[in-house]
Amino acid sequence: MTGVRYALVVVLLVLGVLDSFSLAANVTYDHRALVIDGKRRVLVSGSIHYPRSTPEMWPDLIQKSKDGGLDVIETYVFWNLHEPVRNQYDFEGRKDLVKFVKLVGAAGLYVHIRIGPYVCAEWNYGGFPVWLHFVPGIKFRTDNEPFKAEMKRFTAKIVDVLKQEKLYASQGGPVILSQIENEYGNVQSSYGSAAKSYIQWAATMATSLNTGVPWVMCNQPDAPDPIINTCNGFYCDQFTPNSKNKPKIWTENWTGWFLSFGGASPYRPVEDLAYAVARFYQNGGTLQNYYMYHGGTNFGRTTGGPFISTSYDYDAPIDEYGLVRQPNWGHLREVHEAIKMCEEALVSTEPAVSSLGQNLEATVYKSGSQCCAFLANVDTQSDATVTFNGNTYHLPAWSVSILPDCKNVVLNTAKINSVTMRPSFSNQPLKVDASASEAFDSGWGWIDEPVGISKANSFAKLGLSEQINTTADQSDYLWYSLSTDIKGDEPFLENGTETVLHVESLGHALHVFINKKLAGSGRGGKGNSKVSLEIPITLVPGKNTIDLLSLTVGLQHYGAFFETKGAGVTGVKLESQKNGITVDISSGQWTYQIGLKGEDLGLSSGSSSQWLSQPSLPKNKPLTWYKTTFDAPDGSDPVALDFTGFGKGEAWINGQSIGRYWPSYIASGHCTAYCNYRGAYRSSKCLKNCDKPSQTLYHVPQSWLKPTGNTLVLFEEIGSDPTRLSFASKQIESVCAHVSESHPPPVDMWSSDTKLQKSGPVLSLECPSPNQIISSIKFASFGTPLGTCGSFSQGQCSSQNALSTVQKACIGSKSCSVQVSIKAFGDPCRGKTKSLAVEASCE
């Protein structure tokens, strides 16, 4: 969205011109529907977390959600974002919850506010502010008076903020649901009898705030009335609410999974996602929500974990950069259209369920003249042909067909009509502007971060301190420093033998410096954050310093008593390699420094006068700050910084942190070239990018960039060459489609008119940008083509005129449609089901 258009939307919103919810609405429910102002509804929802994108991105994300068939936008509210210091609130910029909710309402969509205030969300400390940990006598998420007082105060604050702006449906606003607590049922047993009284208190507290809309608790089987208990998971079709008076709601349908540093990239086939959605509504579902519909980016130090990556793409229908991910977005849009064709029947009656054979079932909703049927094949391997109402239907394994008139198939979840888009990143060098070139010979300035203690507010203490209690998460970094005098007669230094330094840490990573030189490093991983190092070192006669830089990579965000999970160094020993004598120095006099000197100097803004340019740019040097000034990359495509070849650190553009980078952490896991959508999905089922850096590309919002004079600051922990940094623009390289003779026509062509149904399947292509046209056809085959977008090949048979037919229909147009039939292409192989596969380029 252009800056002018965005500004116009905001101005109109402020004036109230776009307010679609001017009249108060009564929101209630029963076992089959949410009832909004007397209208019974089946709803489709998607999660967009406002701080994981920018206000400039919000209108476009919301519009794409609406165009994708959503009725509701769901978001968490992040306590530590809004109240970083007790009683000091922040609702500016990416934290502007009210603006986000108003924009959603202006688009004509509803909002589900998940206040929590525990949110999980792979967010730092589960959304809790770290100061909460230091409230005297507090225990999180249990029947504890200090915790309940703080939780009630913040929840009431958010409700009041929304009420003041009249954003609840009961006031004429778009908010139709609110959530209290979050997935507590997963950990409830760990809290004993106090858990039940806590949940009862939370329910009573929430309803006492008089929002005028229903409250929900997810994964909470004992949610007290009138709270609606809801389901989270990859599948929720078998979920049953704890009361016959409550609707069946799926608050988190996981569209993929989160990425961790050191992990491969998870993805979920859209055929399986569509199957899960259709099964949910087939079995009486009222509202399902995609978690995530747009995942976005973990800017700054907001990631939880530990080890959650900066990207929070989540394989969502709208990708991290705000582009629709195809075919996911398009195929799910067709699923939503098919479900909405059935809405009147779904909310009006109980279903009639019958078996069509082993692992085959029909579910029929019939009310008056309305009739809708779902035909499901839940087998994980075998396709089937079934007879229903006297007609024959083909059901691929692990699929659902939807029949809005109980006769004609509008959609099968395993058969994709939507276009597929193959993205690519185009790199361009960082354009260092003239001012940087004049100031620094290389275009870059630098400042060394001192090793060890360099700040006046350091302090000494006997023994090793736990890191989070020491830093209160003011910084990722904590220095542990010890000086020792070596006389030469120490038992672990007999005959000048080399010494081994043993360091144990709760995590998350550690750099060891001996006499100001890097001796070794270690890191934990997503399964075990602990670090254990054994480093051969050389100590010299006289004074020696041992400096340990311990660092966190996002605080624990999940699990019972997660606030007690510590970090930092727990043990340090010196051992002689010759005689095995060990000396434990853990209890010595250690000096501590919270954070880096560069952080205190505000180097991330780039404004310091201390940047160096001579004698030459240091490269591959640990603990170095770098700065340059650059011009924005060419074009308007979404952009990222490409950190390939870098170590670990954090980056800021014009003072705003794009997050932690860590391309030196290589992904482990078992990746396969193909992932079968059939059968139950799990987060480790479909992985890509094994044995490569978990993340090399880091999103830079276009709104953060100026045409010229942008300041980029890096803090590099391990060592790299900053001149290798480049921008990468995300573009669509190809558009593809692959449609068979057995596909139903596109949903928007559907009609109960039998003549229209006999029109047959259609392959459609469309360029992603309004100003683009189809410039060439890279591949076209009608017959038995093989492969996927970008790697199509001809099978055993192919029509000779496929390429020319598609070229004639498509080249020069923004979009085109081609009938998939032997009438259009001839019959290259009689007796076989044929398909048409096409790959095209747009310019």
Side-chain angles (χ1 to χ4, degrees):
M1 174 172 285
T2 65
V4 173
R5 183 182 168 199
Y6 169 74
L8 178 61
V9 169
V10 174
V11 169
L12 291 173
L13 180 61
V14 171
L15 294 175
V17 176
L18 298 183
D19 189 356
S20 302
F21 297 88
S22 56
L23 299 176
N26 186 34
V27 183
T28 59
Y29 60 81
D30 59 28
H31 75 295
R32 282 298 298 121
L34 283 173
V35 185
I36 304 174
D37 215 18
K39 185 175 183 181
R40 302 171 61 75
R41 298 298 307 275
V42 165
L43 299 172
V44 181
S45 175
S47 288
I48 300 176
H49 295 159
Y50 52 98
R52 281 176 160 145
S53 54
T54 65
E56 292 78 10
M57 293 173 67
W58 293 344
D60 187 57
L61 294 174
I62 293 164
Q63 187 59 48
K64 286 173 178 172
S65 301
K66 183 176 182 178
D67 293 344
L70 299 194
D71 306 294
V72 184
I73 300 295
E74 179 183 286
T75 185
Y76 281 124
V77 178
F78 300 87
W79 189 353
N80 54 11
L81 200 69
H82 294 299
E83 195 181 7
V85 177
R86 192 174 187 275
N87 287 322
Q88 295 181 23
Y89 295 98
D90 187 352
F91 291 94
E92 300 298 319
R94 289 186 295 111
K95 307 166 190 176
D96 196 339
L97 172 64
V98 166
K99 179 184 284 187
F100 180 76
V101 172
K102 285 185 174 181
L103 285 168
V104 176
L109 300 179
Y110 297 115
V111 178
H112 178 188
I113 292 286
R114 306 177 75 187
I115 299 176
Y118 166 72
V119 298
C120 182
E122 291 72 59
W123 190 267
N124 195 49
Y125 219 43
F128 286 153
V130 175
W131 59 256
L132 194 68
H133 176 69
F134 298 96
V135 172
I138 201 164
K139 292 183 179 179
F140 290 3
R141 304 179 75 196
T142 189
D143 195 356
N144 171 267
E145 293 305 321
F147 177 75
K148 291 191 297 182
E150 295 295 338
M151 175 174 167
K152 180 178 181 179
R153 185 181 57 80
F154 179 74
T155 303
K157 172 68 177 181
I158 296 301
V159 168
D160 184 61
V161 166
L162 298 175
K163 280 186 175 181
Q164 289 294 322
E165 299 291 333
K166 300 189 185 312
L167 294 177
Y168 282 101
S170 56
Q171 302 172 294
V175 179
I176 59 169
L177 290 171
S178 293
Q179 179 178 301
I180 196 69
E181 250 298 336
N182 188 59
E183 295 183 330
Y184 190 68
N186 296 357
V187 298
Q188 183 168 342
S189 61
S190 300
Y191 292 89
S193 60
K196 191 171 186 65
S197 55
Y198 165 65
I199 284 299
Q200 182 64 58
W201 168 85
T204 302
M205 181 270 291
T207 54
S208 73
L209 297 175
N210 298 316
T211 61
V213 303
W215 287 84
V216 308
M217 287 182 173
C218 62
N219 284 14
Q220 193 62 48
D222 61 347
D225 292 341
I227 307 294
I228 305 168
N229 67 303
T230 67
C231 182
N232 292 355
F234 291 116
Y235 308 93
C236 282
D237 51 290
Q238 299 303 309
F239 167 73
T240 302
N242 64 12
S243 167
K244 293 181 179 179
N245 299 318
K246 297 178 182 179
K248 182 172 177 172
I249 293 178
W250 189 357
T251 32
E252 293 188 15
N253 177 3
W254 301 325
T255 56
W257 202 243
F258 56 85
L259 175 67
S260 296
F261 287 125
S265 300
Y267 65 97
R268 185 178 184 185
V270 70
E271 298 95 329
D272 174 68
L273 185 56
Y275 167 82
V277 172
R279 287 286 288 165
F280 177 73
Y281 289 108
Q282 175 182 0
N283 287 295
T286 294
L287 180 152
Q288 78 89 30
N289 175 79
Y290 296 104
Y291 188 100
M292 301 292 296
Y293 199 74
H294 165 72
T297 306
N298 291 315
F299 298 113
R301 298 173 57 243
T302 58
T303 62
F307 303 105
I308 301 299
S309 68
T310 299
S311 171
Y312 200 68
D313 182 84
Y314 226 91
D315 200 35
I318 303 175
D319 72 13
E320 178 180 4
Y321 301 87
L323 302 175
V324 294
R325 173 174 276 113
Q326 296 282 34
N328 301 36
W329 184 87
H331 189 47
L332 294 173
R333 178 181 61 177
E334 292 209 326
V335 173
H336 306 154
E337 290 181 32
I339 295 296
K340 289 308 178 76
M341 291 177 187
C342 297
E343 183 175 18
E344 188 173 336
L346 290 173
V347 300
S348 302
T349 185
E350 298 300 317
V353 182
S354 59
S355 173
L356 301 176
Q358 186 176 1
N359 292 327
L360 301 163
E361 65 182 39
T363 304
V364 177
Y365 292 85
K366 185 172 177 59
S367 176
S369 62
Q370 298 293 319
C371 185
C372 175
F374 296 80
L375 309 182
N377 180 358
V378 301
D379 196 276
T380 61
Q381 297 183 8
S382 301
D383 296 357
T385 300
V386 301
T387 300
F388 172 74
N389 283 353
N391 296 311
T392 300
Y393 301 90
H394 176 73
L395 292 176
W398 204 253
S399 77
V400 178
S401 286
I402 301 175
L403 292 64
D405 58 0
C406 288
K407 183 178 180 181
N408 295 296
V409 175
V410 66
L411 176 136
N412 178 273
T413 57
K415 296 181 178 181
I416 299 174
N417 277 317
S418 175
V419 67
T420 294
M421 293 183 182
R422 190 159 72 95
S424 65
F425 282 90
S426 176
N427 281 60
Q428 52 183 295
L430 201 68
K431 295 190 293 183
V432 176
D433 73 10
S435 62
S437 297
E438 292 172 3
F440 311 121
D441 290 344
S442 63
W444 289 84
W446 72 91
I447 295 176
D448 291 332
E449 176 65 31
V451 173
I453 308 303
S454 61
K455 292 162 57 176
N457 60 356
S458 62
F459 60 94
K461 182 181 177 183
L462 287 173
L464 298 170
S465 294
E466 192 279 324
Q467 182 163 348
I468 300 169
N469 281 315
T470 305
T471 66
D473 199 39
Q474 297 171 37
S475 170
D476 283 357
Y477 304 99
L478 178 64
W479 281 105
Y480 296 72
S481 183
L482 180 74
S483 293
T484 181
D485 286 321
I486 299 298
K487 298 176 182 178
D489 57 355
E490 286 80 359
F492 55 84
L493 287 176
E494 184 178 348
N495 296 325
T497 56
E498 203 169 52
T499 303
V500 176
L501 179 71
H502 297 265
V503 184
E504 298 295 329
S505 170
L506 295 174
H508 307 147
L510 184 70
H511 302 300
V512 176
F513 296 83
I514 302 297
N515 296 325
K516 307 303 179 182
K517 293 185 177 181
L518 182 64
S521 299
R523 51 164 173 71
K526 61 180 181 177
N528 180 10
S529 63
K530 293 183 178 181
V531 181
S532 182
L533 288 177
E534 294 185 5
I535 304 172
I537 63 172
T538 300
L539 299 176
V540 298
K543 183 180 177 181
N544 290 260
T545 58
I546 299 173
D547 293 303
L548 310 177
L549 181 58
S550 177
L551 52 128
T552 54
V553 191
L555 301 190
Q556 190 81 23
H557 67 265
Y558 181 75
F561 310 108
F562 72 86
E563 73 275 16
T564 65
K565 304 293 184 184
V569 179
T570 57
V572 185
K573 296 179 181 179
L574 295 170
E575 179 189 5
S576 168
Q577 280 193 324
K578 182 176 182 180
N579 57 28
I581 294 176
T582 299
V583 176
D584 190 334
I585 58 175
S586 305
S587 58
Q589 182 87 354
W590 291 85
T591 304
Y592 293 87
Q593 176 181 300
I594 297 171
L596 306 173
K597 185 174 183 179
E599 291 176 314
D600 281 11
L601 293 174
L603 296 186
S604 61
S605 69
S607 59
S608 172
S609 60
Q610 300 182 28
W611 296 98
L612 303 175
S613 62
Q614 297 292 335
S616 61
L617 180 70
K619 299 177 181 179
N620 303 313
K621 183 176 182 297
L623 303 188
T624 306
W625 295 83
Y626 295 103
K627 172 196 171 181
T628 192
T629 307
F630 67 95
D631 297 338
D634 297 331
S636 58
D637 294 322
V639 295
L641 278 172
D642 187 344
F643 279 90
T644 299
F646 280 66
K648 180 185 179 297
E650 189 172 353
W652 296 263
I653 287 183
N654 296 326
Q656 301 200 70
S657 173
I658 66 171
R660 301 181 183 96
Y661 65 84
W662 202 352
S664 61
Y665 206 157
I666 305 301
S668 60
H670 178 66
C671 294
T672 56
Y674 168 74
C675 183
N676 187 350
Y677 73 86
R678 301 168 182 85
Y681 181 80
R682 59 191 183 280
S683 62
S684 60
K685 180 179 180 181
C686 306
L687 298 174
K688 58 186 177 182
N689 208 41
C690 291
D691 302 317
K692 298 177 182 179
S694 294
Q695 185 179 352
T696 57
L697 299 173
Y698 294 78
H699 179 212
V700 178
Q702 284 281 6
S703 60
W704 290 9
L705 296 172
K706 302 176 292 185
T708 61
N710 297 283
T711 300
L712 169 62
V713 174
L714 311 176
F715 174 65
E716 171 61 49
E717 289 176 22
I718 300 172
S720 63
D721 177 359
T723 63
R724 295 180 58 185
L725 196 65
S726 64
F727 269 107
S729 300
K730 188 167 189 180
Q731 302 159 336
I732 302 302
E733 184 173 328
S734 300
V735 293
C736 304
H738 191 178
V739 176
S740 76
E741 292 178 301
S742 66
H743 275 56
V747 171
D748 56 11
M749 295 177 61
W750 188 87
S751 171
S752 58
D753 188 321
T754 304
K755 292 181 180 179
L756 288 177
Q757 281 295 304
K758 290 182 179 178
S759 63
V762 174
L763 182 145
S764 298
L765 295 175
E766 183 174 7
C767 293
S769 299
N771 59 344
Q772 289 183 315
I773 61 169
I774 298 170
S775 57
S776 66
I777 304 299
K778 294 182 175 181
F779 179 89
S781 176
F782 178 76
T784 56
L786 305 172
T788 58
C789 185
S791 61
F792 285 134
S793 63
Q794 292 193 5
Q796 292 182 344
C797 73
S798 181
S799 170
Q800 293 183 355
N801 65 348
L803 180 60
S804 60
T805 301
V806 175
Q807 287 174 328
K808 182 177 179 181
C810 297
I811 289 181
S813 301
K814 173 176 169 45
S815 61
C816 63
S817 297
V818 182
Q819 289 285 332
V820 181
S821 66
I822 57 176
K823 182 178 180 181
F825 294 97
D827 192 346
C829 40
R830 296 183 182 277
K832 290 187 176 182
T833 300
K834 290 160 281 293
S835 63
L836 174 63
V838 178
E839 180 177 0
S841 293
C842 294
E843 292 182 355

